[in-house]
Each structure stands twice: as C-alpha cells, then as structure tokens.
Amino acid sequence: MAFTFADVAWLAEDDELGDLWCLTFVRGVSEVQALRRLGADQESIRPLTYDELIDDGLFPETVLAGRVGDWTVLIEESGWTCTEADKAQALSAGTVAVAVLRHDYASDDFVYAVDGELVTCFNPKIPEWRHGSDPDRLNDLMRQAGLDPDDVPATGAEAPSSASGALLLAAGLTGVVLTPEVVKGPLMSGVVG
C-alpha cells in the first residue's frame, strides 16, 4: 500500500501529540514483550489510554503500547527512550524496530534497527548525515519520503516537514500508519523511566 503525506499529517503537522514525542514500531512482538524489552517491570504493566497518560501526568516515564497488524507501536509522550542505542538494539533483537522522534526543541531522530543492530540512523532534518552498519540501505525509500540522503531538498508542495518525512518513511518500512483510533484507543502501558 502506498502512503502519502496526507496519511501522516494529523500526527506530524497538526500537533496531535505535541512537539515532543517518539513512535516506535516493533514487528512480531506483543505489547507486553516490547514494554519488557524497554525495561518495564511486570508490576507496572497495565491498561491505560493516551488521555489518562496526559491527564494523570504519567509521561515521560510511562510508555504506551498498542497493536496494529503484526506490529506493536510504542508511544512516548515527551520522551525518546526508544531511540537510545541500547533500547533500539533490545527492541529489535530477533526482529525489526523503526523509531521516529519529533523533538522541536532539540534534534529529531530516525532509527532503523534489525536483529539488535543499528542499521540506519539519522536526523530527518539533516538526512545526508547518516550512521549505522548500513547507512545507505534506506536511501531509495528516504527519497520517496522527501528525505533526500544526497542533500537535494524538496521544494514547494513536495517539501514535507522532517516529522512527516520520517513518519512516511516508517510507514513505507512497516506498512503501518497510525490512526487517531489507535492512539486514543485502549493501550497497554509500562513504566520504563
């Protein structure tokens, strides 16, 4: 399925989650397994909605987890735990993890990890500065998402925000685009901080 910027605009452009968030997609791992890989203890894992997380001020220590097809999505409000190297490696052990960080006050981040290895990592605002074991692996998909790895910026209607481009790249890798129903719906949670 081909995704467009319109599919991710509600998250990236409409500030639905605010100006600091991280979304991480982990294939073939349950919500509880993903939270445990992040270090949540079993006693802290419980159902929680996004609204409860916000209303009760449980962020950034509490991470939400929901299921979309074969992927578990981790939602961090005002956090970036999943983009830390050791956490991305743990999440991707035996599978794939894709993390998108929007951080309006510091640095955005994109992490693609496979089987415990950081394959391609970069700041979506500076896509030509990539690192990892295979920093060029996603180049074609990056171009399709408006994140040119050769520093040829998109212009006009084709110029996405870095968050839009990163979310579109994540959608291309996972086949998943979050909907408001997933984010606001029933989720699992765990304290990781």
Side-chain angles (χ1 to χ4, degrees):
M1 173 184 245
F3 297 107
T4 68
F5 293 115
D7 295 316
V8 298
W10 78 274
L11 276 171
E13 309 299 328
D14 297 340
D15 292 330
E16 184 68 28
L17 298 180
D19 47 21
L20 172 53
W21 49 259
C22 183
L23 299 175
T24 304
F25 304 85
V26 186
R27 186 175 61 207
V29 173
S30 75
E31 297 97 312
V32 171
Q33 289 171 321
L35 291 166
R36 297 282 294 139
R37 286 181 180 204
L38 282 179
D41 29 69
Q42 192 64 40
E43 295 78 37
S44 77
I45 296 175
R46 66 185 177 103
L48 189 71
T49 67
Y50 181 81
D51 288 338
E52 291 169 330
L53 175 85
I54 299 302
D55 292 347
D56 295 343
L58 301 175
F59 57 91
E61 296 83 11
T62 301
V63 175
L64 298 172
R67 194 78 173 163
V68 181
D70 193 34
W71 294 83
T72 288
V73 61
L74 298 166
I75 303 168
E76 294 181 79
E77 176 62 40
S78 300
W80 54 84
T81 300
C82 294
T83 62
E84 296 170 1
D86 61 330
K87 300 299 186 183
Q89 290 166 326
L91 285 170
S92 69
T95 190
V96 175
V98 179
V100 176
L101 169 66
R102 175 182 173 175
H103 195 322
D104 287 1
Y105 308 108
S107 175
D108 293 350
D109 206 0
F110 184 92
V111 176
Y112 175 67
V114 178
D115 199 16
E117 183 177 348
L118 300 177
V119 176
T120 305
C121 308
F122 62 95
N123 177 339
K125 293 179 181 174
I126 315 168
E128 65 274 17
W129 294 358
R130 296 174 310 287
H131 62 281
S133 63
D134 188 359
D136 295 333
R137 183 180 296 185
L138 305 179
N139 285 5
D140 289 340
L141 287 173
M142 288 174 66
R143 285 184 191 93
Q144 293 170 21
L147 302 169
D148 196 306
D150 301 317
D151 192 29
V152 179
T155 58
E158 298 296 314
S161 69
S162 61
S164 290
L167 287 169
L168 198 56
L169 177 58
L173 289 165
T174 65
V176 173
V177 169
L178 288 187
T179 64
E181 294 76 26
V182 171
V183 173
K184 300 292 183 172
L187 301 163
M188 292 302 293
S189 71
V191 177
V192 300

